[in-house]
Amino acid sequence: MHIYIHIPFCSSKCPYCAFGSSTDSFNLVERYFEALLFEIKNSTLNKISTIFIGGGTPSVISAKFYEKIFDEFRDFLDIKTEITTEANPNSATLKWLKDMKNLGVNRVSFGTQSFNDEKLKFLGRNHSSIHTKKAVLNAKKVGFKNINVDIIYDTKFDDKKMIEFELLNLAKLDLTHISAYSLTLEENTPFYNKSSFKKDSVNLAKFLFLGLENLGFKQYEISNFGQICKHNLAYWQGKNYLGFGAYAVGFKDDKRFYSPKDIKSYIKNPTFKNIENLTKSDLKFEKIFLGMRSKIGVEAKILNELELKRAKILVEEKKLSYKNERFYNQDYLLSDEIVLFLVEI
Ligand SMILES: C[S@@+](CC[C@H](N)C(=O)[O-])C[C@H]1O[C@@H](n2cnc3c(N)ncnc32)[C@H](O)[C@@H]1O
Ligand code: SF4
């Protein structure tokens, strides 16, 4: 099974970010973790393949709060279980990294965003490029072998020179994985509708992808490069997963489960879920959408006659390839257009 745990606390709110988190609820941390424990104890666990602790910022919370949660999971873990935590470069101290590693975490993902301090300031980050270098070094020091760094590109600061600068710095860190996200101007954030904040340049994205491939990070999804993250792969393959914590989302068969979207309501009722029923056509659309954005591809047998005909046209145009009864996208930047062309809505 796959498990996501949401930690909805951040030391400051980045103006582009729509993830569920609060900067002024640290007085609720203890009760939040009690609620998390209650929710986990009330769920049915079996053998765990992956755990992802995301946020928010898991590294603003002392590792001791995670201990009881890991006690619940212990019997269901084995040496192959991938356990990731997200972390901010400035709050992931050597001690925190060491303590999390001792609990069983074996993959760490740093929200670096950039190595350029001006771009970091624009993104409202409260760390500088030195913090990332130190954090990665510390992660290695305590024995992490699987390290990811997130960067954001396509901001108004990005041009070929900036991308080359980011690549140069990424290369120096000797990482196993890089997530490169194109800046999204999310609704209900200060960046919403600020179209001048974003370049919308396909050429820049291609330049970045090529640079990452040249560094040895093979692209396996529109935003992901390097040693495959098993947890994310499970999402894209449509596998079931449990979501624990406020703002968390879970998925089972044809249902999506939404936890309360604020910390206080979650603490009051940690097992409450809003349930979304997904139709067959919702599930099929998701399979096609996620498959075309990643190396998972799309099974031919889920397509109807007309969609198959269209997929074959795309194979002839070399936009898709076909192998072992699956269609594979050749250019993830075209995935939206390809899905729109393929699917009968
Ligand atoms: C859930 S966030 C948490 C990571 C951690 N709190 C941090 O910021 O360092 C995961 C990643 O999503 C990306 N992200 C969040 N909002 C984004 C946006 N509006 N556009 C592009 N990437 C975004 C950032 O790269 C971030 O590191
Ligand atoms: S990007 Fe990370 S640190 Fe910034 S507000 Fe979002 S979750 Fe918090």
Side-chain angles (χ1 to χ4, degrees):
M1 71 188 313
H2 304 275
I3 290 177
Y4 175 78
I5 303 173
H6 193 76
I7 308 300
F9 304 98
C10 287
S11 56
S12 62
K13 190 79 198 172
C14 309
Y16 55 85
C17 178
F19 285 91
S21 72
S22 161
T23 56
D24 56 8
S25 305
F26 284 93
N27 58 323
L28 298 175
V29 168
E30 204 158 336
R31 284 166 62 205
Y32 184 75
F33 274 78
E34 279 165 16
L36 255 184
L37 197 63
F38 181 84
E39 190 190 359
I40 294 167
K41 277 178 189 279
N42 276 279
S43 66
T44 310
L45 298 177
N46 49 53
K47 191 175 163 320
I48 301 171
S49 309
T50 69
I51 300 178
F52 195 99
I53 306 173
T57 308
S59 54
V60 293
I61 304 297
S62 157
K64 72 171 195 280
F65 284 101
Y66 297 95
E67 282 169 10
K68 285 188 185 150
I69 289 174
F70 273 85
D71 287 344
E72 293 304 311
F73 294 148
R74 198 74 58 205
D75 290 347
F76 305 99
L77 306 177
D78 66 31
I79 47 162
K80 284 202 337 229
T81 310
E82 177 193 89
I83 309 178
T84 305
T85 183
E86 288 186 329
N88 280 28
N90 54 342
S91 50
T93 59
L94 183 75
K95 181 176 171 2
W96 187 84
L97 289 164
K98 193 170 165 206
D99 292 347
M100 294 303 276
K101 176 96 186 8
N102 285 339
L103 286 177
V105 175
N106 51 26
R107 185 173 183 276
V108 59
S109 170
F110 291 112
T112 291
Q113 323 311 353
S114 174
F115 295 89
N116 176 281
D117 288 338
E118 237 185 308
K119 182 170 151 189
L120 281 172
K121 214 166 150 195
F122 160 73
L123 290 170
R125 299 294 295 194
N126 55 9
H127 71 267
S128 72
S129 54
I130 298 165
H131 286 109
T132 294
K133 292 171 194 167
K134 185 121 194 265
V136 171
L137 220 67
N138 281 340
K140 286 186 181 165
K141 217 183 251 177
V142 305
F144 279 104
K145 302 255 182 310
N146 203 350
I147 303 175
N148 170 62
V149 152
D150 289 340
I151 61 159
I152 293 182
Y153 70 95
D154 200 47
T155 73
K156 66 176 184 180
F157 281 83
D158 286 292
D159 53 18
K160 281 195 171 174
K161 224 168 134 201
M162 179 66 84
I163 300 275
E164 271 169 355
F165 179 75
E166 308 286 26
L167 288 166
L168 194 76
N169 281 283
L170 288 167
K172 284 186 203 153
L173 294 176
D174 190 23
L175 305 159
T176 48
H177 190 281
I178 293 165
S179 296
Y181 299 109
S182 171
L183 176 68
T184 310
L185 305 173
E186 299 279 2
E187 236 177 291
N188 301 320
T189 69
F191 272 25
Y192 186 55
N193 269 339
K194 299 269 191 324
S195 54
S196 65
F197 284 10
K198 190 172 161 58
K199 283 260 166 93
D200 261 326
S201 166
V202 173
N203 284 341
L204 264 190
K206 285 190 176 157
F207 185 71
L208 171 65
F209 294 180
L210 196 66
L212 288 169
E213 295 255 349
N214 286 339
L215 292 180
F217 295 93
K218 209 170 162 20
Q219 186 173 28
Y220 65 97
E221 196 257 359
I222 190 160
S223 309
N224 287 286
F225 303 78
Q227 188 176 312
I228 293 176
C229 169
K230 291 183 198 162
H231 186 82
N232 283 339
L233 197 72
Y235 287 157
W236 306 326
Q237 286 172 324
K239 300 251 173 88
N240 293 337
Y241 55 92
L242 293 175
F244 294 124
Y247 305 93
V249 180
F251 175 72
K252 189 167 192 294
D253 303 331
D254 58 355
K255 289 186 172 49
R256 203 164 268 135
F257 302 90
Y258 296 90
S259 298
K261 286 189 168 70
D262 78 279
I263 299 174
K264 279 189 179 152
S265 321
Y266 173 73
I267 289 173
K268 263 190 215 138
N269 198 352
T271 51
F272 176 81
K273 304 281 175 193
N274 270 310
I275 299 175
E276 179 188 14
N277 287 301
L278 299 162
T279 63
K280 272 196 180 143
S281 106
D282 292 336
L283 291 164
K284 172 177 158 178
F285 183 78
E286 274 189 19
K287 271 196 175 149
I288 295 175
F289 180 72
L290 296 172
M292 284 298 165
R293 282 167 71 99
S294 68
K295 64 169 246 172
I296 290 164
V298 175
E299 265 184 309
K301 73 170 187 218
I302 71 165
L303 302 179
N304 66 28
E305 214 174 307
L306 184 61
E307 290 160 351
L308 263 179
K309 216 160 121 191
R310 290 170 178 163
K312 283 176 188 160
I313 294 172
L314 293 175
V315 173
E316 275 164 30
E317 290 177 1
K318 306 230 173 335
K319 291 199 166 72
L320 296 182
S321 66
Y322 184 69
K323 203 179 159 195
N324 298 334
E325 288 162 33
R326 292 182 93 88
F327 292 99
Y328 296 94
N329 188 358
Q330 300 300 294
D331 179 355
Y332 301 134
L333 289 169
L334 292 180
S335 48
D336 289 355
E337 284 88 335
I338 287 176
V339 173
L340 278 177
F341 176 78
L342 271 185
V343 179
E344 266 190 289
I345 302 180

